[in-house]
Amino acid sequence: MILASNSPRRKEILENFGFNLKVITKNIDEVSDEEDIIKRIEDIARKKVSAVAEVYPNEFVVGADTVVVVDDKILGKPKDEKDIYEMLHSLSGKSHKVITSFSFVNISKNISISDSEVSEVYFKNITDEEISWYIDTKEPFDKAGSYGIQGKGSYFVERIDGDFFAVMGFPIGKFVRTLAKNSISLDDIKKL
């Protein structure tokens, strides 16, 4: 199976479940005309996967997109340290939504599946000193919302309501259940 993402977290989650992956990505404009936030994130995930699937029409291709939403504002990956400070300050002491959408395509088999998982994450109050410490770890630079729940960013998390793996970058449970609903069994996974 092809993973249309450079995310080491997505690769780790899928490989730990038993998928054999090749990572192949295409650069796309990560934009969507969809009004609804969840549909917009699904559309972007689908575009990422479709760009690769068009080149490899006989392969199964999977990909995802994750965003953090706080106060109706979407937080993607930070551009710089200033961005990290602003994002973490906006998350401090409150809850936010993490939306991860996935897409699974095989053009020759006429398979195109997309779905999403929404989780609620609650943060403790974060000090400037803690943000500086976190920036020094280099961890927040490539992560939506400027934190990784599976790493040192877990220090900020008081609790989550939802799917830990979706917050990490890929809702593996929902993905596998969705495959099963589409007649792809657990035994088929190693063959993908």
Side-chain angles (χ1 to χ4, degrees):
M1 184 166 71
I2 295 173
L3 174 60
S5 171
N6 286 317
S7 165
R9 287 148 315 272
R10 289 188 185 119
K11 185 174 188 284
E12 176 188 348
I13 291 167
L14 286 157
E15 285 181 339
N16 282 345
F17 201 84
F19 290 96
N20 295 308
L21 300 173
K22 295 177 278 191
V23 175
I24 301 173
T25 61
K26 296 284 180 192
N27 286 328
I28 64 151
D29 287 331
E30 294 190 24
V31 294
S32 172
D33 295 330
E34 294 287 344
E35 292 289 322
D36 178 76
I37 182 82
I38 294 173
K39 290 192 184 315
R40 190 178 325 153
I41 305 310
E42 282 182 13
D43 187 39
I44 291 169
R46 192 171 23 257
K47 287 177 179 178
K48 288 179 180 181
V49 170
S50 294
V52 174
E54 287 168 11
V55 181
Y56 301 92
N58 297 318
E59 298 270 356
F60 289 97
V61 184
V62 66
D65 196 48
T66 301
V67 297
V68 170
V69 181
V70 63
D71 301 328
D72 294 323
K73 182 179 178 195
I74 296 173
L75 305 181
K77 293 178 184 174
K79 295 188 244 15
D80 52 30
E81 286 186 14
K82 180 177 179 280
D83 233 9
I84 294 168
Y85 268 100
E86 289 173 4
M87 286 186 195
L88 291 177
H89 272 294
S90 73
L91 299 174
S92 179
K94 54 181 143 172
S95 71
H96 59 273
K97 289 185 179 5
V98 177
I99 302 167
T100 298
S101 298
F102 64 84
S103 188
F104 180 73
V105 173
N106 182 303
I107 292 174
S108 67
K109 295 183 184 303
N110 200 29
I111 295 171
S112 180
I113 301 166
S114 294
D115 207 343
S116 297
E117 187 70 40
V118 181
S119 302
E120 191 86 14
V121 181
Y122 296 80
F123 263 27
K124 72 179 212 69
N125 286 309
I126 306 170
T127 65
D128 285 346
E129 187 177 66
E130 290 167 329
I131 294 173
S132 291
W133 162 81
Y134 192 49
I135 287 172
D136 288 344
T137 71
K138 305 295 185 217
E139 186 178 277
F141 285 92
D142 69 338
K143 301 194 175 40
S146 295
Y147 78 94
I149 196 167
Q150 73 284 358
K152 294 172 185 74
S154 63
Y155 171 68
F156 304 133
V157 178
E158 289 186 334
R159 77 175 202 271
I160 84 169
D161 292 339
D163 183 335
F164 173 83
F165 291 102
V167 177
M168 193 172 154
F170 197 85
I172 188 69
K174 187 169 198 174
F175 175 66
V176 173
R177 288 188 301 273
T178 301
L179 293 184
K181 285 182 203 166
N182 287 275
S183 302
I184 299 171
S185 73
L186 291 171
D187 290 333
D188 294 329
I189 286 173
K190 59 183 168 280
K191 298 178 219 159
L192 297 179

